[in-house]
Amino acid sequence: MEILLLLHGSKDPRYRESVERFAGRLGLKYAFLEGFEPRPGVLYLPIFVAPGADYRKALSLANLKAPPLIRWPGFADYLRSLRADVYIFHGSDEPEYINEVASLGLRFAFIEGEPSLKSVGCRGLGAPVVLTRGIIYDRASELWREAGCRYELLPPLFEQEGFVQYFSSALSSLLAKIQQ
């Protein structure tokens, strides 16, 4: 049975290229929410960092009911392994989203909402917890500079070799549990 990653999608070509490279490295295909039409015989796995409206929409369309990455086994450990001073998430005003991010026990800031990068500040390495390059990563980078951060900003998750390895391993475990 074919498995496709179901992602948010974007018109930004960098986003699409990043998803294509990531999926290709894993030997998987992908689909985007925009214009999504499921095909018979295909398993669709929603891939979102944290819960929110777009994740819930993808989950309602997917036939593999996977949690957002933030709930995957080992995801928090992977983030900790980056040894960032601050972890930058997209942000949401939804309590579930905020609580999930806070439950990681990491120093974090949101691109949208509080705590913001300006209120948290930066003393070292920054880790945007976003999947790809594109509009959201650009906004994190812009806020990083505006906050006066002079240190390194890590690439998005899909471009990190360690994340590719983590994802491949975690996906195998997750699929075994889901399909039981």
Side-chain angles (χ1 to χ4, degrees):
M1 182 135 320
E2 184 177 31
I3 296 174
L4 266 77
L5 306 176
L6 181 57
L7 299 121
H8 186 276
S10 172
K11 292 180 177 152
D12 189 315
R14 296 170 299 160
Y15 179 95
R16 292 176 180 271
E17 290 164 8
S18 185
V19 169
E20 186 172 334
R21 278 192 306 276
F22 180 76
R25 290 188 70 190
L26 296 168
L28 296 171
K29 295 185 179 175
Y30 60 91
F32 297 126
L33 279 178
E34 185 178 308
F36 177 74
E37 292 184 30
R39 299 186 329 242
V42 176
L43 297 174
Y44 292 94
L45 177 70
I47 302 297
F48 288 76
V49 170
D54 291 332
Y55 165 73
R56 288 188 294 278
K57 179 180 178 184
L59 191 61
S60 74
L61 298 170
N63 47 11
L64 286 173
K65 304 301 183 186
L69 288 170
I70 204 166
R71 295 182 192 153
W72 282 32
F75 184 70
D77 292 333
Y78 176 75
L79 293 179
R80 280 186 203 90
S81 78
L82 299 175
R83 300 183 181 271
D85 177 55
V86 63
Y87 296 82
I88 307 163
F89 290 81
H90 183 270
S92 170
D93 58 359
E94 293 185 29
E96 180 185 22
Y97 183 102
I98 296 166
N99 290 336
E100 291 279 346
V101 171
S103 75
L104 294 172
L106 302 170
R107 187 166 178 261
F108 68 91
F110 291 133
I111 295 169
E112 296 177 7
E114 289 296 331
S116 70
L117 195 51
K118 282 188 178 180
S119 66
V120 169
C122 53
R123 295 184 298 267
L125 184 66
V129 186
V130 300
L131 299 175
T132 68
R133 293 207 185 261
I135 295 165
I136 295 172
Y137 184 86
D138 289 351
R139 184 68 182 131
S141 182
E142 179 184 326
L143 291 172
W144 185 251
R145 287 188 309 274
E146 286 176 5
C149 305
R150 302 191 199 300
Y151 304 99
E152 182 182 2
L153 191 62
L154 290 174
L157 295 173
F158 280 8
E159 293 179 20
Q160 297 174 19
E161 184 61 35
F163 183 77
V164 174
Q165 293 170 3
Y166 159 75
F167 187 91
S168 179
S169 174
L171 180 60
S172 295
S173 298
L174 187 69
L175 289 175
K177 286 179 185 175
I178 290 173
Q179 293 177 334
Q180 286 178 351

